Amino acid sequence: MKNIIAYIIGMIFSLNFTIVSAQTNVENQRRIALWGHVRNSFTTRGLVGAKITLMTADSTVIDSIRTWQPGNDPFDGVYKFSVPARPQKFIIRAEYPDYETTYITFDMKYITRNTWFDLPHHFMKYQGHKAEMERKLDEVTVTATKVQMVYKGDTIIYNADAFNVPEGSMLDGLIRQLPGVELKDNGTIYVNGQKVDYLTLNGTDFFKGKNKVMLDNLPYYTVENIQVYNKTTEKSEWLGVADAPKDFVMDVRLKREYAMGYMVNTDLGVGSEGRYVGKAFGMQYSDHTRLSLFANLNNTNEMRNPGSNGDWNPAKNQNSGEVDYKAIGGELYMENKDKTWKEVANATVSWEKRDLKYHIAQEQFLTGGNVYDRSLQDSKIPHPPSASTYSTSLPTRDHSGWT
């Protein structure tokens, strides 16, 4: 019994010694000051009495404090935290009555001999009128949060209704909010670092390779969900090759009420000295049909024609002189419900007139006197209307029985 009592007393003394040693190490550890400022986002005047919460990178609360007015600047609101001098990341939250809560992040990487850091300023937006209206509400409606994305096998499905997209936004505004998705300015899309090969609509090609046409013209509210998956190419499917490389596809699925529709794009302009330009593209589409018409009328050397889906491709040859160009055309695309065949037909008619002028001025420096040479050439070259048509039938087959 005496041995047991002696053992317990020894453990207590050992525990106390460990606690004292740990406290001594903490007290002796060098600390560094974090200074911050809280201001009105419009007037930039400091906000005194704002509640500031210091948190770790995973939102664990470390400490909280109120801002005060420094003696050297009566128009500022400051706060200060003292933290161990070691590399770490912080989240700082600022709260103030009738103001929108703001957050900043600070990555304290390099300490060296610094004794303090000046944090990024909190610029808080005044919400007084909105807050007053909310306080007058007699009842509150609680809405359940919608799941933004789910995995179904190898397919990522984003629920479009789960994102808060500004009114009037197009498809690009929705895609920019998708988790793990990056949208470049040129329309290139990356999902979790992998480049999307094609952006499709309801499982079919739509402005294939020209993402910005759909991104800039399809309203976000027409979208039901967006699916990302690996898709077998048409060639591999027709040949029945299962192990061929697949395309990485982002497929935009429309709501049922928007499964059929139309699209119109126009570009009109008038300049000095009789210059004009006009381009128009219209399309009526459904899941299995597409009819498109276009026109290009100008005298500014603009000789581009849209592709089968309205993508205006640059002319291959650059022409000198003034070119008066006119072109109209259209395309019809059809396929059956089972996608065992499809028909493509298009036609284009164009007119062209060129006005070429050359002005040449030369001077030769000679001992007996300079020699001057000037010449002018003016030619107008009309081109009669030209027409081109194209029609093709592309049947597909079911090779599911092949080995």
Side-chain angles (χ1 to χ4, degrees), residues 171-216:
L171 178 62
D172 60 339
L174 171 61
I175 289 182
R176 291 183 191 278
Q177 295 193 26
L178 303 182
V181 177
E182 180 182 5
L183 175 60
K184 300 292 185 180
D185 292 337
N186 62 357
T188 303
I189 304 173
Y190 292 86
V191 179
N192 296 326
Q194 183 178 356
K195 182 181 177 181
V196 172
D197 295 317
Y198 297 111
L199 181 65
T200 61
L201 184 67
N202 286 343
T204 60
D205 294 335
F206 193 77
F207 293 88
K208 187 173 183 178
K210 303 294 180 181
N211 295 347
K212 283 190 68 64
V213 178
M214 191 191 306
L215 292 170
D216 296 341

Side-chain angles (χ1 to χ4, degrees), residues 101-372:
T101 301
T102 60
Y103 296 83
I104 64 170
T105 58
F106 181 68
D107 190 357
M108 194 168 65
K109 290 184 178 179
Y110 309 106
I111 308 300
T112 62
R113 297 184 179 180
N114 291 321
T115 58
W116 61 276
F117 285 105
D118 196 13
L119 302 177
H121 291 201
H122 287 269
F123 290 100
M124 305 188 70
K125 185 177 180 181
Y126 181 65
Q127 298 283 313
H129 301 296
K130 180 179 179 181
E132 182 178 355
M133 292 299 295
E134 290 176 349
R135 284 195 294 267
K136 292 180 179 180
L137 295 177
D138 296 330
E139 60 183 47
V140 177
T141 302
V142 179
T143 304
T145 302
K146 296 182 179 179
V147 177
Q148 292 185 340
M149 74 174 193
V150 295
Y151 284 88
K152 189 176 181 180
D154 295 333
T155 302
I156 305 175
I157 302 177
Y158 297 96
N159 181 13
D161 292 336
F163 297 90
N164 185 18
V165 184
E167 189 68 26
S169 298
M170 295 298 169
L171 178 62
D172 60 339
L174 171 61
I175 289 182
R176 291 183 191 278
Q177 295 193 26
L178 303 182
V181 177
E182 180 182 5
L183 175 60
K184 300 292 185 180
D185 292 337
N186 62 357
T188 303
I189 304 173
Y190 292 86
V191 179
N192 296 326
Q194 183 178 356
K195 182 181 177 181
V196 172
D197 295 317
Y198 297 111
L199 181 65
T200 61
L201 184 67
N202 286 343
T204 60
D205 294 335
F206 193 77
F207 293 88
K208 187 173 183 178
K210 303 294 180 181
N211 295 347
K212 283 190 68 64
V213 178
M214 191 191 306
L215 292 170
D216 296 341
N217 293 280
L218 185 66
Y220 80 93
Y221 59 81
T222 64
V223 180
E224 180 177 1
N225 60 59
I226 296 177
Q227 303 180 13
V228 181
Y229 54 89
N230 291 302
K231 180 181 179 182
T232 303
T233 63
E234 289 185 0
K235 181 178 180 181
S236 299
E237 186 176 356
W238 192 84
L239 294 175
V241 180
D243 297 333
K246 298 182 179 181
D247 293 329
F248 191 51
V249 174
M250 174 178 283
D251 185 31
V252 179
R253 294 283 174 170
L254 297 181
K255 296 176 181 177
R256 179 175 299 179
E257 59 268 31
Y258 299 108
M260 299 181 61
Y262 63 90
M263 181 179 297
V264 177
N265 293 316
T266 59
D267 185 3
L268 304 174
V270 178
S272 59
E273 300 183 3
R275 294 289 186 265
Y276 67 90
V277 61
K279 291 189 298 182
F281 176 80
M283 176 185 295
Q284 190 278 334
Y285 62 90
S286 67
D287 288 343
H288 305 291
T289 62
R290 183 169 66 239
L291 174 64
S292 60
L293 301 172
F294 78 91
N296 184 357
L297 313 174
N298 72 88
N299 60 355
T300 60
N301 295 28
E302 175 59 84
M303 301 181 64
R304 294 185 296 173
N305 289 330
S308 61
N309 291 309
D311 46 312
W312 295 85
N313 300 313
K316 295 182 179 179
N317 298 322
Q318 298 298 325
N319 298 278
S320 59
E322 178 182 320
V323 180
D324 191 344
Y325 181 75
K326 298 178 178 63
I328 59 174
E331 181 187 73
L332 176 63
Y333 174 92
M334 296 184 299
E335 65 180 9
N336 64 341
K337 184 177 181 181
D338 298 329
K339 298 184 178 181
T340 56
W341 63 266
K342 64 181 177 181
E343 297 282 349
V344 182
N346 58 49
T348 302
V349 180
S350 62
W351 298 262
E352 181 181 325
K353 182 176 68 174
R354 301 184 185 182
D355 186 1
L356 305 178
K357 294 181 180 180
Y358 297 93
H359 297 266
I360 301 176
Q362 296 179 342
E363 180 178 0
Q364 296 181 3
F365 298 93
L366 304 175
T367 56
N370 295 346
V371 177
Y372 300 91

